[in-house]
Amino acid sequence: SRRAAREQEPRAQTLRVLCSEPYLRRLLMLVVISTVAVTAVDYVFKSVVADTIDPERLGPFFARFYLVLNAIALVVQVAFASWLLGRFGVNHALLVLPVLLLAGVVGFVAVPGLIAVGLLKGADGTLRHSVHRTGLEVLYLPVPREIRERYKAVIDGVGSRGGQAAASLVILGAVAVGADVVHLAIGLGVLAVGWVVVLFGIKPHYVDLFRHN
C-alpha cells in the first residue's frame, strides 16, 4: 500500500524531498530555530537562578515559579490563543513569542538579574505551548493531506530533537570557551531575529498554498 511504501521510504530521501520544498523547508527551519532558542532560554534562566538563589531554596523557588507560569499558560491557552490567531492571523500571532524573547534579551543584557531572566522565561513558558504550538499546527493546514501525513512527523521529530541537540552542542562549546549567560543571551537575541525572518519568509508561501488548495 501507499502507506507501507511511505514508511519504507529511506530517511535520507525523505529529508532531501523535504528540503527541496520551499514551504516544508521553512517549516523545518522554524521548528529548529525556535527549539534552539527556547532551549537557550531555559539554560540562561536556570543558570541565573542557580547563581542567585541559595541551593536549599531552589526547590521551593522552582515549584512556585512553575506553578504560576503554568497557571498563566493555561489562561492564555483557553482565553487568548484562539482570539490572537483569529484576530491577527497565524503569522502575526506567531511573531509574539520571538518578539517578546528579543525584548526580554534586551532587558536582561541591559540589567542582568533574576527579574529580567524571569520575564524572559515567563514569555517562553506562557506562549510556547499555547500560541506558538497552536500556530505551528495551523501552518500545516494548507499542506495537502498526503504530504502532511508523510512529512509532519519528520519535521517535528528532526526539528525538535535536532534543535535540542544543536542547542546543547552550542551551549557546551560556548561554556568551554568561557562565554557567560550574557553572551548566551546575546546569541539568543540573534536567534530571535532569525526566527522573525523565517516567519516573514513563510507568510507568502502559506497564502499561496491556501489559494492553490
Side-chain angles (χ1 to χ4, degrees), residues 66-125:
Y66 283 110
L67 174 63
V68 174
L69 190 62
N70 289 327
I72 296 173
L74 178 61
V75 172
V76 171
Q77 175 70 48
V78 173
F80 294 104
S82 297
W83 177 82
L84 278 172
L85 290 167
R87 177 66 178 81
F88 299 102
V90 61
N91 294 97
H92 290 101
L94 282 171
L95 284 170
V96 175
L97 179 54
V99 169
L100 285 179
L101 290 183
L102 185 57
V105 166
V106 172
F108 177 74
V109 172
V111 187
L114 190 59
I115 294 177
V117 81
L119 293 174
L120 182 64
K121 179 60 179 178
D124 166 40

Side-chain angles (χ1 to χ4, degrees), residues 176-187:
V177 298
D180 58 21
V181 289
V182 174
H183 296 119
L184 289 171
I186 293 172

Side-chain angles (χ1 to χ4, degrees), residues 21-27 139-140 142-143 202 205-206 209:
E21 294 292 334
Y23 188 69
L24 296 177
R25 183 171 65 246
R26 284 169 172 79
L27 282 177
L139 288 180
Y140 285 104
V143 180
I202 281 178
H205 296 278
Y206 175 80
L209 275 174

Side-chain angles (χ1 to χ4, degrees), residues 8-93:
Q8 294 175 1
E9 183 179 11
R11 179 59 58 87
Q13 181 181 345
T14 300
L15 290 175
R16 282 197 301 271
V17 174
L18 191 155
C19 293
S20 68
E21 294 292 334
Y23 188 69
L24 296 177
R25 183 171 65 246
R26 284 169 172 79
L27 282 177
L28 178 61
M29 291 172 59
L30 177 60
V31 174
V32 170
I33 291 176
S34 61
T35 301
V36 173
V38 298
T39 303
V41 169
D42 194 57
Y43 178 83
V44 171
F45 169 70
K46 290 178 178 176
S47 296
V48 173
V49 170
D51 290 339
T52 307
I53 304 295
D54 294 333
E56 63 272 13
R57 295 171 52 205
L58 286 175
F61 173 83
F62 281 121
R64 289 192 296 268
F65 181 85
Y66 283 110
L67 174 63
V68 174
L69 190 62
N70 289 327
I72 296 173
L74 178 61
V75 172
V76 171
Q77 175 70 48
V78 173
F80 294 104
S82 297
W83 177 82
L84 278 172
L85 290 167
R87 177 66 178 81
F88 299 102
V90 61
N91 294 97
H92 290 101

